[in-house]
Amino acid sequence: MNTMKWLLRREFWEHKGSFFWAPLAVAAAMILFIGGGFLYSMAFGGPQNIQFDGQTVVSFQGFPPALRYKIANIAATSYLGVAAPLFLVLSVVVFFYCLSALHDDRRDRSILFWKSLPLSERDTVLSKVITALCVAPMITIAIAVATGLLLLVLGMIGISSKGLNLFAPVLSHPGLYLSPLYLLAFLPLYILWALPTVGWLLMVSSWARSKVFLWAVGTPLIVLMLLTWFNFLVGQFSSSIIDIDFFAEQVILRGLGGLTPGVWLSEIDGSRFTGMDQGLDAMLVLGESYRTLASPGVWVGAVLGSAMIYAAMRLRRYRDEG
């Protein structure tokens, strides 16, 4: 365990710019532009007619209590939604981290130093898997929660200056405090859905001698093009063709897009989420998300991802010796 702790620290120190400073820079930009907009409106904005829920209200002071509490409920349960760009940054950062994780050590020959230490291939590769699937998402979640809370406070300050005080109903709403826990509850689901992508990228990273991105992305795209061409030729004489849509959705999109948080929502019937005009029902979204685990494809992908991670361990040793 002590060895793994130091391996994880090594990964964080070497990639601190990607895991910490990149999302922090995006969060700072969001606070500057969105929070600055709230403060600008507070300082210079004049009274406006507001259309809300089919009703026109002249200035925030004219809001009826029912609408006030409805807005507070939406704000308290959905404030983390404003941090969605941070999770897009996470997917890009982890994608390129996995691509370079096992390749860069060979390219700059620093692997000779690490091979001189009593570290197994298993621990080295697993430290990179844990970093990609746990450490990086948890850092992003922490920054996202802080960003969402700060923007929520700035928004409430801006609105209160116009006569609509939301502090009491928002601060007393349990969703304000449970939302970060709900976000953490998605982490096991994210790990399972991301395993095929992480496994594929690490396997390519451990095998390719150069042009890792082209091997990782180009290979499945070329296979897709060849299958499409095969279907075109065979389709002239027979109706027995390969299901290209299945390959594109279940192999390419799952294999390359599994690092995108919330990718499993595409498997859920959108009608299940209707009627959330009173605020985000996090328990419903969480429950429907975990129901996707009933699909055999999720577990097949997780098994294949684990197999590719094991292959990355073996290939790393083979490539080192070569």
Side-chain angles (χ1 to χ4, degrees), residues 216-270:
V217 178
T219 301
L221 293 180
I222 290 175
V223 172
L224 178 63
M225 292 172 59
L226 291 176
L227 292 177
T228 304
W229 179 247
F230 174 82
N231 277 357
F232 173 76
L233 295 178
V234 173
Q236 307 297 319
F237 312 100
S238 171
S239 60
S240 301
I241 59 176
I242 300 173
D243 189 350
I244 297 296
D245 292 337
F246 176 84
F247 181 82
E249 293 175 7
Q250 299 300 321
V251 178
I252 295 183
L253 292 181
R254 282 290 310 280
L256 297 178
L259 291 172
T260 305
V263 65
W264 54 84
L265 295 177
S266 62
E267 303 292 321
I268 302 174
D269 182 6

Side-chain angles (χ1 to χ4, degrees), residues 7-305:
L7 284 172
L8 293 175
R9 287 187 176 182
R10 170 210 170 188
E11 296 301 320
F12 176 72
W13 289 336
E14 289 187 352
H15 301 89
K16 189 175 182 179
S18 300
F19 294 147
F20 181 74
W21 291 114
L24 192 63
V26 174
M30 292 169 58
I31 292 170
L32 177 63
F33 289 104
I34 301 177
F38 290 146
L39 297 179
Y40 178 85
S41 176
M42 176 181 65
F44 303 105
Q48 299 176 353
N49 290 348
I50 304 154
Q51 186 76 23
F52 188 87
D53 211 28
Q55 303 180 39
T56 300
V57 183
V58 180
S59 83
F60 285 115
Q61 296 180 353
F63 261 68
L67 288 182
R68 175 173 175 263
Y69 283 101
K70 183 176 181 178
I71 295 174
N73 185 64
I74 294 173
T77 57
S78 309
Y79 69 95
L80 290 181
V82 74
L86 296 177
F87 294 101
L88 296 179
V89 173
L90 169 68
S91 62
V92 174
V93 165
V94 174
F95 185 93
F96 285 99
Y97 164 75
C98 291
L99 270 183
S100 63
L102 300 175
H103 176 262
D104 286 356
D105 285 352
R106 302 197 322 272
R107 184 181 61 183
D108 60 16
R109 309 306 296 167
S110 63
I111 194 170
L112 299 176
F113 168 75
W114 295 108
K115 291 288 287 184
S116 67
L117 301 177
L119 300 174
S120 66
E121 307 293 343
R122 182 199 63 186
D123 289 344
T124 302
V125 175
L126 284 181
S127 69
K128 299 178 186 298
V129 174
I130 295 172
T131 299
L133 294 178
C134 298
V135 176
M138 291 184 69
I139 293 173
T140 301
I141 288 174
I143 295 175
V145 171
T147 302
L149 285 172
L150 182 55
L151 288 176
L152 177 63
V153 171
L154 291 176
M156 290 193 298
I157 292 174
I159 292 177
S160 64
S161 69
K162 303 299 181 181
L164 180 61
N165 190 343
L166 296 177
F167 280 96
V170 168
L171 293 177
S172 61
H173 198 291
L176 177 70
Y177 310 99
L178 292 177
S179 291
L181 300 180
Y182 290 137
L183 200 55
L184 281 173
F186 282 106
L187 186 57
L189 195 64
Y190 175 76
I191 291 172
L192 285 173
W193 278 83
L195 262 176
T197 306
V198 171
W200 167 250
L201 295 178
L202 288 177
M203 186 176 70
V204 174
S205 180
S206 67
W207 171 80
R209 295 188 184 278
S210 63
K211 300 178 178 61
V212 186
F213 180 82
L214 291 179
W215 280 110
V217 178
T219 301
L221 293 180
I222 290 175
V223 172
L224 178 63
M225 292 172 59
L226 291 176
L227 292 177
T228 304
W229 179 247
F230 174 82
N231 277 357
F232 173 76
L233 295 178
V234 173
Q236 307 297 319
F237 312 100
S238 171
S239 60
S240 301
I241 59 176
I242 300 173
D243 189 350
I244 297 296
D245 292 337
F246 176 84
F247 181 82
E249 293 175 7
Q250 299 300 321
V251 178
I252 295 183
L253 292 181
R254 282 290 310 280
L256 297 178
L259 291 172
T260 305
V263 65
W264 54 84
L265 295 177
S266 62
E267 303 292 321
I268 302 174
D269 182 6
S271 63
R272 299 285 298 173
F273 299 144
T274 57
M276 289 194 187
D277 56 335
Q278 299 292 327
L280 178 66
D281 188 345
M283 282 300 296
L284 175 61
V285 177
L286 192 63
E288 291 297 321
S289 297
Y290 270 91
R291 282 196 180 92
T292 61
L293 298 184
S295 171
V298 179
W299 300 103
V300 171
V303 171
L304 291 176

